Amino acid sequence: MTGNEAMSATCERASLLLEQEEFSLVLRMLHDAKEQLYDNGAAWQLRGLAHFALGDYEQALQALEHASMLIPLSAVGQCRLAACYLFVRRAKVAAVIYLHLAELEMLSEELVECIADGLARVREDQAALNFCLDHLRQFRGNHRLLISVAEVTRRLGFDSDEVLPFAYQAHRLQPENVSYRILFVQLLVDAGRVREAGNALAAVELDRLQCVASLQRLRLLFKRIDDEAGVEHCQARLTQIGYELSSGYRPTKDE
């Protein structure tokens, strides 16, 4: 086997391991062959994707940037690179990548979701709206695209009645998603549909929530609809979480 064939075989094995989500094994394999693969862009991209999957965004950024100097990154590689730039607060660079990716065709549903989320996070709201609406024709019922449309149309100043159908569909598809429910209720309140907002809030199991930010947002919503009992319940839950954190208490698996 020639040197090039050996490098190709190593990258193929690493790519297969990446698909199998064996990210640590990918890094170990590529590290063991680092001298042979030093100038191999595909290997650097695989290394970056593995680091990203493990949550090591700084290492992923370094690897993907190095790969981009050797080969054109795949759409997945570009999407992960943009996410890394967001992590290190280089939003303008990330925006350039996301806008480029939005022009590509034949994207997978997972990539479409990532690009839509990225465009929204870099505040390219009009581009995000156009992108989401275009791909909802292909991926009907995708709750992430629906909620992205709701979020960006709200920021763009659309009337609540125009935004509500998208938030409702996302909430209907993922009724247990508290963030979706919160946005849906916010829009109901903005539209003056207080009774419906109260009904939607009543279904939230406040005592099971662990997210402080969600509880704070829910408390404000209860306040907006003059539900003092809901406000007090949220405050009591926040106080309980604060006590648990300060005392080192952790709920058991049965709680």
Side-chain angles (χ1 to χ4, degrees):
M1 183 180 293
T2 66
N4 287 337
E5 289 174 338
M7 288 189 290
S8 179
T10 299
C11 287
E12 286 180 9
R13 289 196 297 273
S15 182
L16 181 60
L17 287 172
L18 191 73
E19 292 177 7
Q20 296 170 346
E21 300 185 358
E22 297 286 355
F23 307 119
S24 296
L25 288 179
V26 171
L27 294 174
R28 189 182 311 160
M29 175 181 290
L30 295 175
H31 180 270
D32 291 344
K34 62 182 179 180
E35 291 185 5
Q36 300 97 313
L37 297 173
Y38 182 76
D39 292 324
N40 188 297
W44 280 101
Q45 178 169 240
L46 289 166
R47 186 180 285 111
L49 294 175
H51 277 303
F52 185 91
L54 291 169
D56 189 348
Y57 302 121
E58 292 184 359
Q59 289 274 42
L61 176 59
Q62 294 175 19
L64 291 169
E65 281 188 328
H66 190 76
S68 70
M69 293 186 292
L70 298 170
I71 61 168
L73 293 181
S74 67
V76 174
Q78 292 177 64
C79 202
R80 300 296 183 256
L81 178 59
C84 289
Y85 282 131
L86 276 178
F87 177 78
V88 297
R89 302 181 185 279
R90 296 175 64 183
K92 290 184 178 179
V93 182
V96 171
I97 298 174
Y98 284 126
L99 288 168
H100 163 69
L101 289 170
E103 299 297 323
L104 300 182
E105 298 179 354
M106 303 298 291
L107 295 167
S108 68
E109 188 169 8
E110 180 185 0
L111 264 179
V112 166
E113 292 173 353
C114 292
I115 296 166
D117 179 67
L119 289 169
R121 290 176 66 192
V122 298
R123 292 299 195 269
E124 289 287 348
D125 291 336
Q126 190 60 57
L129 175 57
N130 295 340
F131 181 79
C132 289
L133 291 177
D134 184 44
H135 286 84
L136 275 170
R137 298 188 184 99
Q138 180 182 3
F139 303 117
R140 297 180 183 277
N142 185 297
H143 62 91
R144 291 187 175 88
L145 296 183
L146 289 164
I147 205 67
S148 290
V149 171
E151 289 171 345
V152 298
T153 49
R154 191 175 187 228
R155 288 205 299 258
L156 287 167
F158 283 59
D159 290 339
S160 296
D161 289 339
E162 296 177 276
V163 184
L164 262 169
F166 297 101
Y168 170 71
Q169 289 182 65
H171 163 62
R172 182 177 59 82
L173 289 166
Q174 295 284 313
E176 301 303 317
N177 189 309
V178 177
S179 295
Y180 290 7
R181 185 180 293 268
I182 287 173
L183 179 57
F184 176 53
V185 173
Q186 285 175 329
L187 291 164
L188 286 172
V189 175
D190 291 344
R193 295 161 62 173
V194 176
R195 180 178 296 180
E196 293 173 71
N199 291 337
L201 285 174
V204 180
E205 297 183 58
L206 296 174
D207 290 328
R208 296 182 62 183
L209 291 185
Q210 295 289 336
C211 177
V212 170
S214 292
L215 282 163
Q216 290 172 333
R217 293 169 69 192
L218 287 164
R219 181 178 58 184
L220 290 174
L221 285 172
F222 279 116
K223 187 174 182 178
R224 287 185 67 187
I225 65 172
D226 296 321
D227 185 334
E228 289 302 321
V231 172
E232 292 174 5
H233 197 163
C234 287
Q235 186 57 55
R237 182 67 185 128
L238 285 164
T239 301
Q240 181 183 7
I241 291 173
Y243 167 75
E244 291 171 358
L245 291 173
S246 63
S247 65
Y249 167 82
R250 294 293 182 274
T252 66
K253 291 182 179 180
D254 295 330
E255 292 185 71

